[in-house]
Amino acid sequence: MKPKDTEAEILKAAEQEFMLRGFDGAKTASIARAAGVTHAMLHYYFRTKEQLFERILTDKMNLMGRSVLTAFGNPELPLLERLKDGISRHFDFLVENPDLPRFIINEVFSRPERYEIMRKGVSRIIDKLMQSVQQELDSMAAQGEIVPVDVRMLMLDVVSLNIFPFITYPMIKPLLGDIAADRERFFEQRKAENIEVIMRRIKK
């Protein structure tokens, strides 16, 4: 029998509790119960609820960063193919973490100081991407392959298009009828549409 990974079980239970109730509403007793550990054991691994919360946010940001950076950092693909792959990977990350965008927005508005935690995670991703991608975009624009584009605006376009369906899905589902009835199919269509929109945005 495979030994139990106690820390992983705690993190899994904590993620579910935080996503469901937010930081303020989450209870460490509920997390311990869901993880199958005692309250004392939970505090042995994570001394405070704040520490546990920050670990989950950091892990999520790092996971997203590795996924997106892997796509953009593939030297074997041209930039536009890497861009398509990056959009797709970011969208797939959201498919696996559909409650994360709404959760982050709620936490930032309710506790603005938490933004610094998330900013640090995002900055590590953005700083690695921006300079090299901007240079490639400028080179392609100079050769007439694409229109001139600011990489910061381009990334904002990607994030906005990808996140919006997950934040608004409960509201737009009744309005869209059969298009959104099959959740999995709807999100696959949105991913393809988002890639197409971004490609049309930069191509001549």
Side-chain angles (χ1 to χ4, degrees):
M1 182 180 294
K2 185 178 178 180
K4 180 179 178 180
D5 186 338
T6 303
E7 182 174 303
E9 291 294 326
I10 291 172
L11 288 170
K12 180 180 177 182
E15 180 181 335
Q16 293 174 345
E17 178 77 2
F18 284 131
M19 294 297 165
L20 180 64
R21 307 186 188 283
F23 177 83
D24 290 333
K27 305 295 183 186
T28 53
S30 298
I31 295 170
R33 186 164 51 252
V37 299
T38 64
H39 205 245
M41 180 65 74
L42 184 147
H43 283 288
Y44 170 79
Y45 282 91
F46 300 96
R47 294 189 179 278
T48 65
K49 186 168 75 166
E50 183 82 26
Q51 186 184 73
L52 185 52
F53 180 84
E54 291 184 10
R55 168 64 182 276
I56 290 170
L57 274 187
T58 300
D59 284 354
K60 288 296 181 185
M61 291 298 178
N62 287 341
L63 179 61
M64 182 180 70
R66 286 195 302 271
S67 177
V68 174
L69 286 173
T70 297
F72 278 100
N74 185 353
E76 297 179 3
L77 293 176
L79 177 61
L80 295 188
E81 291 303 311
R82 279 184 278 144
L83 181 56
K84 290 179 183 178
D85 194 20
I87 297 168
S88 180
R89 285 173 181 262
H90 180 246
F91 197 96
D92 290 342
F93 171 80
L94 295 171
V95 168
E96 294 175 2
N97 300 272
D99 297 324
L100 189 61
R102 193 182 308 113
F103 169 76
I104 288 177
I105 289 171
N106 288 340
E107 288 298 321
V108 168
F109 275 104
S110 64
R111 287 173 169 258
E113 68 273 14
R114 294 200 189 288
Y115 173 74
E116 185 61 21
I117 301 171
M118 289 171 269
R119 188 197 65 79
K120 288 179 180 178
V122 173
S123 292
R124 286 194 293 269
I125 303 167
I126 296 299
D127 291 346
K128 291 180 180 180
L129 283 177
M130 290 296 186
Q131 187 173 0
S132 62
V133 173
Q134 185 67 68
Q135 289 173 350
E136 289 186 81
L137 289 170
D138 291 345
S139 176
M140 292 178 71
Q143 296 173 38
E145 298 176 38
I146 62 172
V147 300
V149 60
D150 187 320
V151 68
R152 294 167 296 181
M153 288 298 182
L154 184 62
M155 292 302 169
L156 183 58
D157 290 340
V158 171
V159 171
S160 300
L161 284 169
N162 278 355
I163 286 179
F164 183 79
F166 295 93
I167 293 177
T168 61
Y169 184 74
M171 293 182 291
I172 64 177
K173 181 180 177 182
L175 300 176
L176 296 179
D178 61 334
I179 295 177
D182 184 329
R183 182 186 177 94
E184 183 176 345
R185 183 168 175 268
F186 170 72
F187 284 130
E188 279 299 317
Q189 289 177 323
R190 286 311 310 165
K191 179 168 70 171
E193 181 73 14
N194 291 353
I195 292 172
E196 181 63 25
V197 167
I198 294 297
M199 291 300 106
R200 288 201 304 266
R201 156 76 175 83
I202 64 177
K203 284 183 178 178
K204 276 196 170 182

